[in-house]
Amino acid sequence: MSVNGIGSNYRYMEAVANHVQVKASKTNAGRKVAEQPVNLSISDEGRNMLREMANKFEPDSDYVNARELTIQNTNEVAWEHYTAMRGISSQTLKDGNYNVEDVMKSIMDTYETRYNEIVNEHKNGGREVSYELTGKRSLTLDEDLAGLDEAFKMRLANLEGYIACQQTNRAFENSDSSWYFNRNSSQNEGKTQDRIQLFDTEYRDLALSIMEQTREKFLAAFKSFGYKKGAAIGILADELKENVKFAAKTNNLL
């Protein structure tokens, strides 16, 4: 995982140091001095000056001071939950033997699983974590669940990408793909229209909308007295059954 902006202002310092070192090496070589590594040291005052110069060159940079790193600007909580959800899904979605609805069900199932795990771990207070960038600390329940919500959005991005791949594969499944390059020809008008529909972004938006609605209904069910584990997939199944338009578009991909 990377943090945007960290180290961006030090590129200038490194460039200056490399330039001085190369110049010194060339001077020594010209004087026939035996080849030896050139050791360059920069005083604290010099480093401070270079930092100030770097800031002038990049006044609008997204530099983040390492001492100011938080779970909010590193997304470490979200990444922990995202990798956990993805790991659980990998156990059920194997060998490419699944479809769009299978992926949607897996995402909702892993979201519910992770949600329950987080709530249980906070029954006795904060959850103790140790991250690479922000170190050891205690997370509140709100911080943990906020990270899970971000992870859910990342999984929805995965879903959208998966659907786009399926649409592309369906459109180009035949060996004759010349229709695309000649799609403006009157002879290919009907064929082009049929295949262009396979790239319909409305279908992807509909899938994401169904997932968001399912999540909201799950959260309401979780807080209700009659909640039972596994509710998320049941809610999703009802949403899919009610959305005839989505079902028709899904069949078009099979």
Side-chain angles (χ1 to χ4, degrees), residues 22-239:
V22 170
K23 186 174 182 180
S25 298
K26 289 183 177 179
T27 301
N28 288 339
R31 295 175 181 174
K32 298 183 179 180
V33 177
E35 292 186 2
Q36 294 180 350
V38 178
N39 295 321
L40 175 67
S41 62
I42 302 176
S43 65
D44 292 338
E45 292 79 4
R47 292 181 184 277
N48 290 333
M49 182 184 69
L50 288 173
R51 290 192 183 97
E52 291 177 3
M53 293 176 67
N55 287 332
K56 290 180 181 180
F57 278 102
E58 299 182 25
D60 298 322
S61 70
D62 55 355
Y63 168 72
V64 178
N65 191 313
R67 289 174 296 182
E68 298 173 353
L69 292 178
T70 66
I71 59 170
Q72 284 75 28
N73 61 32
T74 62
N75 290 327
E76 286 183 296
V77 181
W79 185 253
E80 177 191 356
H81 297 320
Y82 170 75
T83 54
M85 292 170 68
R86 191 176 59 180
I88 298 172
S89 288
S90 67
Q91 302 301 313
T92 55
L93 302 177
K94 296 181 179 180
D95 305 323
N97 188 26
Y98 49 86
N99 56 30
V100 173
E101 291 189 3
D102 291 331
V103 175
M104 295 172 71
K105 290 176 181 177
S106 179
I107 292 175
M108 285 311 311
D109 182 47
T110 57
Y111 176 81
E112 179 179 8
T113 298
R114 197 61 181 161
Y115 195 97
N116 274 284
E117 290 174 349
I118 292 172
V119 172
N120 287 333
E121 290 186 46
H122 281 273
K123 284 184 176 180
N124 297 320
R127 182 169 73 92
E128 299 299 321
V129 297
S130 179
Y131 294 132
E132 181 179 355
L133 295 175
T134 52
K136 294 182 179 180
R137 59 158 296 162
S138 177
L139 291 178
T140 66
L141 178 59
D142 288 342
E143 288 173 331
D144 236 348
L145 293 179
L148 180 62
D149 287 343
E150 290 301 314
F152 182 72
K153 293 177 183 178
M154 295 164 69
R155 293 294 285 142
L156 291 191
N158 292 158
L159 171 63
E160 186 174 12
Y162 172 77
I163 293 175
C165 289
Q166 293 298 99
Q167 291 175 322
T168 303
N169 292 338
R170 183 72 175 85
F172 291 94
E173 63 182 353
N174 296 321
S175 57
D176 178 20
S177 60
S178 61
W179 66 273
Y180 181 81
F181 302 101
N182 300 300
R183 59 189 181 278
N184 294 324
S185 170
S186 59
Q187 296 179 348
N188 291 325
E189 183 175 354
K191 184 186 296 185
T192 299
Q193 285 301 115
D194 290 341
R195 297 195 182 187
I196 286 297
Q197 289 178 3
L198 292 172
F199 295 99
D200 183 13
T201 58
E202 181 185 6
Y203 176 67
R204 301 177 212 168
D205 294 339
L206 194 53
L208 301 187
S209 176
I210 290 174
M211 293 293 284
E212 291 285 6
Q213 292 174 19
T214 300
R215 173 183 167 277
E216 291 301 320
K217 290 184 177 181
F218 159 73
L219 293 176
F222 184 86
K223 298 174 183 178
S224 68
F225 179 76
Y227 166 74
K228 293 182 180 180
K229 288 185 178 180
I233 289 184
I235 295 172
L236 176 60
D238 291 339
E239 289 290 318

